[in-house]
Amino acid sequence: MSGVAGQVTSIRGLVCEVTLVGTRPEPKELLTLADDPSVVLEVIDYPNAFTARCLNIKGSPKVRRGSSVVQTGTTITVPQGRAVLGRILNALGEPVDGGQAVGGERKSIYQPSPPSDGFVAKPEVLETGIKVIDFFAPFVKGRKIGIIGGAGVGKTVLTMELIHNIAKDDTKLAMFVGIGERIREGHELYETLKERGILERTTMLMGQMHETSAMRALVGISAAAVAEYFRDQEKRDVLFFVDNIYRFIQASNELATTIGTMPSEGGYQATMFSDLRRLQDRLSSNQNGSITSVQAIYIPADDLSDPAVQEIAQQLDSTVVLSRSVAESGIRPAVDLIRTASSLLSPEIVGDRHYVLATQTQAIMQKYDSLKNIIAIIGKSELSPDERRDYERAQKFIQYFSQSFHVAEDLNGQTGEYFSLEQTLQGVEEILLS
């Protein structure tokens, strides 16, 4: 402990004000109660020279007016090193899996964004074994992929399958960051990874639905600090899965409302762009290693034009859009083949053969979308032979890109499937020649 800071004089939700009696604490410094060090308060600003406004990160009810507060001289830190593998931690680096506290070196979660040193990694495509992603939204090392969809269309299951298929590679480490999601989903993922022997190469950080907005807003930044260790110190490639990045913005918005800042015109916090950018910039590659990020994005009310969804999508290289209408038709994964897009689908990255096949398939799917309306009015028999052939090919593509998942075997009784990129490309060629 660094010394007495002062006394709590007012409380409003998670925000409390401390009247200072000694040295003014630094921004982001942690204060604790003199009689209970487990309670942490983070300094957020200074209303005047003699007062520090703090955030009761855990929402502890032990914080009361008149409580004595002491300085710690530190900010929020998370453990570093291999001891975090196979563990579930919260935003403060504390275990939530019932195990012992993780010892060893710790690092502040507040690190500057990496400098732009001109490093450009050679594009390296990672095979996921999921046909629709490998074909329409190639998984490139060091880049960011978004999985967009409303509630109940399969974002979490698709994320779990990606972890299962890619993290089984011994050369890679996986991190799963749960932001504002259900406790049940985190438990199911933990058990799935444990059963399939992937847990020892995975770290999970959870800021779950029942936790305070402060814990949910901080867990992504804490996870980035853990990922940076493996990238920079162990020179590993890290797969960084986020479920759900929209909840990060939502938690930050709740926090901004609690603190009392003015919202923007869209209803979100005025700092939405910088909050998101600060996290995304840290999920990057350098000469040591890479952080490849897959981020599930919840769409409120299935509205793709929501300001937060638009802001997130702008910072991603690829977006896989999950559709409720596709899900209702029984296709899994429920990917909208027309709206799914990637800036990485270029000849320089995926090769000429893949690029040409993807372009031809997208053209057929676009034509299918327009033909659906015509068929609804005049019927399929009125189409020209070429139109009818393209329409039937599109229907074959919709069925072809459905796939059984390994992580869903216990739910649907169907054996999980893994398709190499070569198998996927051959299947597309067969449909195009049909």
Side-chain angles (χ1 to χ4, degrees):
M1 298 295 178
S2 296
V4 176
Q7 200 172 64
V8 176
T9 51
S10 74
I11 300 173
R12 187 182 73 252
L14 296 180
V15 178
C16 63
E17 292 188 353
V18 175
T19 299
L20 303 172
V21 296
T23 305
R24 190 168 84 164
E26 295 293 323
K28 303 295 185 185
E29 184 177 343
L30 293 183
L31 312 179
T32 67
L33 297 187
D35 56 358
D36 192 344
S38 67
V39 178
V40 288
L41 308 176
E42 184 181 60
V43 177
I44 49 178
D45 60 19
Y46 310 94
N48 57 59
F50 307 102
T51 306
R53 184 180 287 127
C54 303
L55 202 56
N56 182 358
I57 294 176
K58 295 182 181 180
S60 173
K62 296 179 181 179
V63 179
R64 299 182 177 90
R65 288 182 62 189
S67 297
S68 293
V69 174
V70 296
Q71 292 179 243
T72 65
T74 66
T75 60
I76 298 173
T77 60
V78 288
Q80 304 284 283
R82 292 184 157 273
V84 302
L85 296 176
R87 302 299 303 273
I88 309 178
L89 309 175
N90 64 15
L92 303 178
E94 301 168 340
V96 292
D97 55 7
Q100 296 292 319
V102 181
E105 181 187 351
R106 297 179 72 93
K107 173 185 177 183
S108 172
I109 67 171
Y110 298 113
Q111 300 293 328
S113 296
S116 179
D117 55 6
F119 173 78
V120 178
K122 182 180 178 182
E124 181 182 336
V125 177
L126 303 176
E127 189 176 280
T128 70
I130 301 173
K131 288 184 287 188
V132 70
I133 289 183
D134 286 340
F135 189 71
F136 287 103
F139 202 95
V140 178
K141 189 168 78 172
R143 302 300 185 94
K144 298 179 176 67
I145 295 176
I147 301 174
I148 300 179
V153 294
K155 297 184 301 299
T156 300
V157 174
L158 182 54
T159 301
M160 289 169 64
E161 184 72 3
L162 282 167
I163 295 175
H164 173 273
N165 287 0
I166 303 175
K168 63 184 179 184
D169 182 344
D170 288 339
T171 65
K172 297 176 179 65
L173 294 175
M175 291 196 62
F176 177 83
V177 189
I179 307 177
E181 291 299 309
R182 301 170 185 84
I183 300 171
R184 169 183 57 79
E185 291 177 346
H187 178 71
E188 288 175 354
L189 175 61
Y190 178 83
E191 291 299 326
T192 299
L193 297 178
K194 190 174 181 179
E195 288 171 7
R196 300 183 183 278
I198 304 172
L199 188 62
E200 61 267 19
R201 295 192 301 279
T202 306
T203 300
M204 298 174 66
L205 279 90
M206 307 294 291
Q208 297 168 112
M209 191 176 280
H210 70 288
E211 296 186 78
T212 67
S213 56
M215 293 289 278
R216 287 181 275 124
L218 288 169
V219 69
I221 301 169
S222 298
V226 176
E228 286 167 341
Y229 166 83
F230 287 109
R231 180 195 65 193
D232 297 334
Q233 303 303 317
E234 296 206 0
K235 297 179 171 48
R236 302 290 291 272
D237 292 324
V238 181
L239 304 168
F240 194 94
F241 296 87
V242 183
D243 190 8
N244 188 295
I245 194 66
Y246 174 82
R247 302 291 186 195
F248 168 74
I249 289 181
Q250 192 176 45
S252 300
N253 192 26
E254 289 177 39
L255 207 52
T257 303
T258 300
I259 295 170
T261 59
M262 187 71 70
S264 65
E265 188 177 343
Y268 291 96
Q269 69 275 30
T271 58
M272 177 174 68
F273 174 80
S274 57
D275 289 342
L276 183 62
R277 192 71 204 182
R278 199 173 293 116
L279 172 60
Q280 298 285 18
D281 281 351
R282 293 177 64 178
L283 306 180
S284 60
S285 301
N286 58 24
Q287 60 273 20
N288 297 317
S290 66
I291 300 177
T292 306
S293 178
V294 179
Q295 305 174 15
I297 309 164
Y298 166 71
I299 305 178
D302 287 350
D303 180 14
L304 276 170
S305 65
D306 181 89
V309 175
Q310 290 291 311
E311 191 64 65
I312 295 167
Q314 288 175 12
Q315 301 193 29
L316 302 172
D317 298 293
S318 306
T319 51
V320 177
V321 179
L322 300 182
S323 165
R324 194 169 302 282
S325 61
V326 175
E328 289 170 351
S329 68
I331 301 294
R332 293 291 186 279
V335 175
D336 187 323
L337 303 184
I338 297 169
R339 293 156 92 182
T340 293
S342 173
S343 64
L344 305 174
L345 197 58
S346 67
E348 295 77 20
I349 294 176
V350 300
D352 291 334
R353 178 192 178 200
H354 186 167
Y355 175 73
V356 170
L357 289 174
T359 303
Q360 292 175 336
T361 304
Q362 288 170 335
I364 289 173
M365 294 309 303
Q366 291 286 352
K367 193 172 183 179
Y368 168 80
D369 196 46
S370 61
L371 289 175
K372 281 194 302 184
N373 298 326
I374 297 173
I375 291 173
I377 299 171
I378 64 174
K380 187 176 176 181
S381 61
E382 297 299 318
L383 298 178
S384 69
D386 286 344
E387 288 175 334
R388 192 178 301 121
R389 184 169 59 249
D390 284 342
Y391 184 81
E392 290 171 352
R393 282 173 177 165
Q395 289 182 313
K396 290 179 181 178
F397 279 131
I398 292 171
Q399 290 297 326
Y400 176 70
F401 285 111
S402 65
Q403 185 172 341
S404 297
F405 284 171
H406 295 88
V407 296
E409 287 177 346
D410 295 338
L411 301 176
N412 57 25
Q414 297 178 354
T415 303
E417 300 171 299
Y418 184 101
F419 291 88
S420 69
L421 178 58
E422 179 59 30
Q423 288 175 308
T424 300
L425 295 179
Q426 287 179 0
V428 171
E429 287 173 332
E430 290 172 6
I431 294 174
L432 287 172
L433 293 172
S434 63

